[in-house]
Each structure stands twice: as structure tokens, then as C-alpha cells.
């Protein structure tokens, strides 16, 4: 019996000591100062030290995380863990932007730009031209087809992108996953039609000296006065939209695909996400502007990209240089 009591007592003593050490280890910070075959993703303690100038913001060849579209490599070379491969210092910067500013800026654009145009519509009002007189052909059937082939997926990309930005506010789940899939598929359609539109209109979209004059008077949209506005086939505002939608859209497509397939290291993906969002700010603002100008700012203006024809008065005044080019007038 004494032996039994001794063994029972010894068992509890040993178990108690082990439990005490286990509890102590549970509350002890993990030492990540030396790499002992630790995967990149669970470096919780190291992540706490991330910062714009911190030791964990830099680049160490062969260390920590490899993201080549398939998975995360094992850091087993015995080197100290000093950072995640990629651009220096983007951990904290990206986290701050993503958490505090991206959604807020998109929200302000989404509310502020339409409100500004609502004020313009109430105070200045839309421009009106005669649409029952002579019509002049300005866009071919091919122009119209390529424009809408690029425009429809582009608008879908913007809408679904905003849904992902505000995904937490929309409840997440299947709705946002569906938006992400549509975003991805629409991008491929735009990749086909975007370059076609670029090649189709790159020449008339080049900036001219008279575009400076257009900018000075804001295209004449701040008054109802009917006068000749210095503009070619496309005015300065349309040209800015063209370059942002094509070149900017292409950059967004490339950065988006890199993020979708994880074709780069984590910090490069952060950089691409920042570029993607910043371009998105401009795209959203000018897309709203483009729609307002085509649908509300000039009565009947949308018809030109539906049937290819524009009223002579509207063309002669708002695109005076192009009108003279077409008619041979001086």
C-alpha cells in the first residue's frame, strides 16, 4: 500500500511539474530570432514587429515566404528570420491603407462625385442642341461594337470591385464570391476589347495644344453659352478618360491577375494592391464623370455611340476642330 501511495504521489508530482512547465511555455512569447524550420504564415510574434522601418520589413534572400502561385516554401536554411521577401516596408503601410483608407476614399468618391454633378445639373443645367436637323456620322459600326465590348465588362469590373471593397458591409458570403468571379471573368473580356479600343482611338486621343484651352474653360460646361469649344474628335476630358481607361485599365488587369493567382511574393502583391486601388480611385471618378456627360450633361449625346451619328450643331460647337476637319470649313 505504501508503495502504491508512493507511485501515485510520484505520478502527480511528475504530472504537476510537466503541467506547470506546459502552462509556462503557453504564455511565453515564441522566439523567432532564430529560424528552426518555421513556416512563413504562423510567424505571429514576428508580424507584431512589422513596420515601415522595422527589421522585419526588409528582404532576405531565401528566407521565410515564397509565393509562386502554388504555396509557401519552408525556410529551413538556419538563417535568422528578418523579414518577408519583397519590397521593403510595405507590411504596415499596406495594412494601414487597407484598414483605414481604401474603402473610405472609394465611398467619398462614390458619394461626392455624383453630388457634385447633381449640383451642376441643378445650377447650370444640361446643354441642349438641335437633334432633328442634319446628322453627321462620327463613329463606325466597328467603333460602336468595340466601345461597348470594352465598356460593358469595364462597368461590371467597377461594380463588382466596389462590392469586394465593401464586402464586409454587404455581408460577405456567396454574394461577394460571385462578385469576385464576375470581376475575374469580366477582366478577360476587357483584356480582349481594351487593346482593340486603344489601337482604334489612340491617334485622335493624342493631346493637342488646343486641349489646354479646353481645360481653361472646363469645356464650356460651366455655362449655357453656345460657342465654339476647342476640341477634336475627342475633347480633353474624353482623352484623359481614354488614357486612364486603357493604360490604367491594363495595369489594373495585370496587377489584379497577379493578386488572383499569387504570381509574386507577398510584399510585391501588397504593392500591386496599392497600385490597383489608387488607379481604382481615378477610374471610378472618371467613369461617373463619363456617364454623367454622356447621359445628363448634353441632351442626346448618348445617341452618337449608339447609332454613330451626332447632330451638326453639337459637333460644330463642342468639337469645332473635328467639325472643320470633316467639312473642310475654315
Amino acid at each position: 500500500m505504501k508503495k502504491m501511495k508512493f507511485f501515485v504521489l510520484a505520478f502527480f508530482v511528475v504530472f504537476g511539474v510537466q503541467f506547470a512547465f506546459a502552462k509556462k511555455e503557453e504564455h511565453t512569447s515564441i522566439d523567432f530570432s532564430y529560424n528552426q524550420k518555421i513556416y512563413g504564415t504562423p510567424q505571429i510574434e514576428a508580424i507584431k514587429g512589422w513596420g515601415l522601418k522595422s527589421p522585419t520589413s526588409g528582404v532576405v534572400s531565401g528566407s521565410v515566404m515564397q509565393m509562386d502561385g502554388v504555396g509557401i516554401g519552408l525556410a529551413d536554411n538556419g538563417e535568422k528570420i528578418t523579414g518577408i521577401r519583397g519590397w521593403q516596408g510595405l507590411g504596415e503601410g499596406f495594412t494601414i491603407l487597407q484598414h483605414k483608407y481604401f474603402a473610405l476614399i472609394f465611398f467619398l468618391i462614390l458619394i461626392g462625385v455624383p453630388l457634385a454633378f447633381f449640383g451642376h445639373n441643378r445650377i447650370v443645367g444640361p446643354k441642349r442642341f438641335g437633334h432633328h436637323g442634319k446628322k453627321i456620322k462620327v463613329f463606325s459600326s466597328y467603333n460602336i461594337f468595340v466601345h461597348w465590348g470594352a465598356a460593358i465588362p469595364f462597368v461590371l469590373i467597377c461594380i463588382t470591385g466596389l462590392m469586394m471593397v465593401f464586402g464586409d458591409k454587404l455581408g460577405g458570403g456567396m454574394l461577394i464570391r460571385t462578385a469576385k468571379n464576375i470581376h475575374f471573368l469580366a477582366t478577360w473580356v476587357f483584356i480582349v476589347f481594351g487593346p482593340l479600343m486603344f489601337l482604334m482611338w489612340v491617334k485622335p486621343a493624342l493631346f493637342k495644344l488646343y486641349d489646354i484651352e479646353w481645360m481653361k474653360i472646363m469645356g464650356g460646361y460651366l455655362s449655357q453659352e453656345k460657342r465654339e469649344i476647342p476640341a477634336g474628335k475627342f475633347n480633353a476630358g474624353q482623352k484623359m478618360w481614354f488614357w486612364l481607361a486603357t493604360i490604367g485599365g491594363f495595369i489594373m488587369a495585370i496587377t489584379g491577375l497577379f493578386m488572383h493567382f499569387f504570381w509574386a511574393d507577398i510584399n510585391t502583391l501588397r504593392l500591386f494592391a496599392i497600385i490597383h486601388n489608387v488607379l481604382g480611385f481615378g477610374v471610378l471618378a472618371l467613369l461617373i464623370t463619363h456617364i454623367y456627360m454622356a447621359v445628363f450633361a448634353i441632351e442626346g449625346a448618348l445617341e452618337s455611340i449608339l447609332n454613330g451619328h451626332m447632330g451638326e450643331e453639337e459637333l460644330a460647337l463642342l468639337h469645332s476642330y473635328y467639325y472643320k476637319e470633316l467639312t473642310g470649313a475654315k
Side-chain angles (χ1 to χ4, degrees):
M1 181 63 70
K2 289 183 180 180
K3 289 183 178 180
M4 179 64 69
K5 289 181 180 180
F6 173 78
F7 282 120
V8 171
L9 179 61
F11 171 79
F12 279 107
V13 169
V14 172
F15 180 79
V17 170
Q18 289 181 339
F19 180 77
F21 275 109
K23 293 295 285 183
K24 183 179 180 181
E25 290 177 1
E26 181 179 332
H27 294 286
T28 302
S29 297
I30 302 173
D31 181 13
F32 283 97
S33 63
Y34 191 72
N35 187 347
Q36 296 291 338
K37 296 187 179 181
I38 302 172
Y39 285 95
T41 47
Q43 297 177 16
I44 307 303
E45 296 300 318
I47 289 172
K48 292 178 181 177
W50 284 4
L52 297 176
K53 299 296 182 181
S54 70
T56 55
S57 67
V59 182
V60 173
S61 179
S63 71
V64 188
M65 190 174 284
Q66 307 273 358
M67 297 191 72
D68 300 318
V70 290
I72 299 171
L74 182 64
D76 59 356
N77 54 14
E79 295 181 2
K80 288 185 177 181
I81 295 174
T82 56
I84 287 184
R85 180 192 301 267
W87 296 82
Q88 182 172 353
L90 289 180
E92 185 178 43
F94 171 76
T95 303
I96 292 170
L97 290 171
Q98 178 75 8
H99 181 65
K100 294 184 177 180
Y101 296 108
F102 284 157
L104 174 62
I105 294 172
F106 276 117
F107 177 76
L108 292 176
I109 293 171
L110 198 57
I111 299 299
V113 176
L115 279 177
F117 287 132
F118 177 79
H120 174 271
N121 190 269
R122 295 294 91 191
I123 297 170
V124 180
K127 287 186 175 293
R128 295 178 174 87
F129 299 99
H131 290 280
H132 300 292
K134 182 180 178 181
K135 302 277 188 177
I136 297 177
K137 190 173 183 64
V138 292
F139 297 123
S140 67
S141 298
Y142 176 74
N143 294 154
I144 296 170
F145 173 72
V146 171
H147 170 269
W148 289 110
I152 293 172
F154 196 89
V155 172
L156 282 175
I157 290 168
C158 291
I159 293 172
T160 52
L162 287 171
M163 290 176 68
M164 288 189 284
V165 168
F166 300 110
D168 57 334
K169 305 298 186 297
L170 297 174
M174 181 60 70
L175 175 66
I176 305 306
R177 286 196 295 272
T178 302
K180 180 177 181 293
N181 291 333
I182 294 173
H183 195 82
F184 175 71
L185 294 173
T187 297
W188 288 107
V189 180
F190 178 76
I191 287 175
V192 173
F193 283 94
L196 292 178
M197 187 171 69
F198 177 83
L199 295 173
M200 178 175 73
W201 282 334
V202 63
K203 186 177 179 179
L206 294 173
F207 287 97
K208 305 288 186 179
L209 286 176
Y210 53 71
D211 290 320
I212 298 175
E213 297 301 316
W214 188 96
M215 293 296 295
K216 287 179 180 179
I217 62 173
M218 295 298 291
Y221 290 106
L222 299 182
S223 74
Q224 287 285 354
E225 179 187 359
K226 288 188 176 182
R227 59 174 173 139
E228 287 190 3
I229 304 297
K233 185 183 182 80
F234 301 117
N235 61 45
Q238 291 169 325
K239 290 176 180 180
M240 286 189 287
W241 171 235
F242 171 84
W243 290 105
L244 182 60
T246 54
I247 301 301
F250 179 74
I251 293 173
M252 291 187 75
I254 295 300
T255 53
L257 289 174
F258 265 79
M259 291 186 289
H260 182 88
F261 290 111
F262 296 100
W263 281 343
D265 57 79
I266 186 64
N267 273 326
T268 300
L269 293 177
R270 290 191 185 111
L271 176 64
F272 285 174
I274 293 171
I275 293 172
H276 198 85
N277 280 276
V278 170
L279 283 172
F281 301 152
V283 164
L284 179 60
L286 288 190
L287 175 63
I288 296 171
T289 302
H290 187 63
I291 293 173
Y292 173 75
M293 291 297 175
V295 179
F296 302 103
I298 308 169
E299 286 191 357
L302 189 62
E303 292 181 15
S304 64
I305 201 61
L306 293 175
N307 58 34
H309 292 82
M310 185 180 292
E312 185 174 24
E313 183 186 22
E314 178 185 346
L315 185 64
L317 294 178
L318 296 187
H319 300 270
S320 59
Y321 282 88
Y322 184 55
Y323 175 74
K324 293 171 183 177
E325 178 186 329
L326 290 177
T327 61
K330 295 183 180 181

